[in-house]
Amino acid sequence: MPIEPSPSAPRPRVLSGIQPTADSFHLGNYLGALRQWVALQDTHDAFYFIADLHAITVEQDPEALRRRTRVAAAQLFAIGLDPERSTLFVQSQVPEHAELQWVLSCITGFGEAGRMTQFKDKSAKQGTSGTSVGLFTYPVLQAADILLYQPDQVPVGEDQRQHLELTRTLAQRFNHRFGETFVTPEAYILKAAAKITDLQEPTAKMSKSSSSPQGIVDLLDEPGPLRKKIMRAVTDTGTEVKADEENKPGVTNLLRIHSALSGTSIEDLERHFEGQGYGALKKELAQILLDTFEPIRERTGKLLADEAQLDRMLAVGADRAREVARETMETVRGRVGFLGRA
């Protein structure tokens, strides 16, 4: 459970990041994490970053990366991240991330890094020649991302638990060798998010890396294409609108999305659509998605129309983040034995 601050106590700090690897976040990102980032601003000292250093573990077009970083930032502001209530910054604009990664790399065992599940999975697919050293060491960069800001809690899903455990191990190892320096962060377990699957392959996860464009709902989809995606979503045999993971995965997915966005239980939705068929469900869901995402798309467009102002907003976030990161690194340098500047 999250720590609830008392009126007189400082808020617990929370930190999370997301990569700018696509031209739009999708529905799974929104329901799984981003919507909850907005809520955490009210209870935590929230630090969020766009992980462009992590993005280059695979080949990137420089101009595309720059564009996507701005698009990611604009979307995050558009969904409700408030510069007055949280700190949003671009990872590469705080050089202490890379500096702390090197220090932590030097106390990380080769075997520890090699055991990371995501590295093993990706390197098995890509082969040795297609796997960079950056991909091997990026969990150590993740640890540096976290420990720089001394957060009490880190939002994690199941796929990131192993990386948080490495972070905790490295914090404890550093503290043991060099003296108490880092807070050992706890996992902030995000509320169970709806399991959102591909609209065209409802037994597969909705994913930018594996889904077809028609299988993904993007936050920045235009109204026409968004509505078409929902109306053309794969359903199942029969006409009854009922959740059944095994026999009706397509309808179950649509009901989950509706429930997550409308706040109506799946049981109530089943009663609501009784006798109406799949078309009624799709039509209503398309409208809910439009009502949710159209304001975000419009606000994102306005922010991107003034890149200079957007960059200034990110610079403010980077300056605030650097204040914290610089203080941490000054302590780390002294503890490790680096010579301070006169």
Side-chain angles (χ1 to χ4, degrees), residues 1-63:
M1 293 294 291
I3 302 167
E4 292 297 335
S6 69
S8 59
R11 291 180 169 189
R13 182 171 290 163
V14 67
L15 175 130
S16 198
I18 191 166
Q19 290 193 40
T21 52
D23 291 319
S24 173
F25 295 134
H26 62 72
L27 179 62
N29 302 138
Y30 179 74
L31 294 177
L34 303 183
R35 187 169 64 167
Q36 299 186 59
W37 285 15
V38 176
L40 283 169
Q41 296 177 118
D42 295 326
T43 55
H44 290 69
D45 179 18
F47 281 69
Y48 302 123
F49 65 95
I50 299 164
D52 57 341
L53 294 179
H54 286 289
I56 65 170
T57 57
V58 296
E59 188 174 349
Q60 297 283 328
D61 173 77
E63 285 306 314

Side-chain angles (χ1 to χ4, degrees), residues 169-181:
T169 297
L170 294 178
Q172 291 162 357
R173 185 175 299 158
F174 189 97
N175 290 348
H176 178 72
R177 291 188 187 179
F178 301 107
E180 286 297 317
T181 305

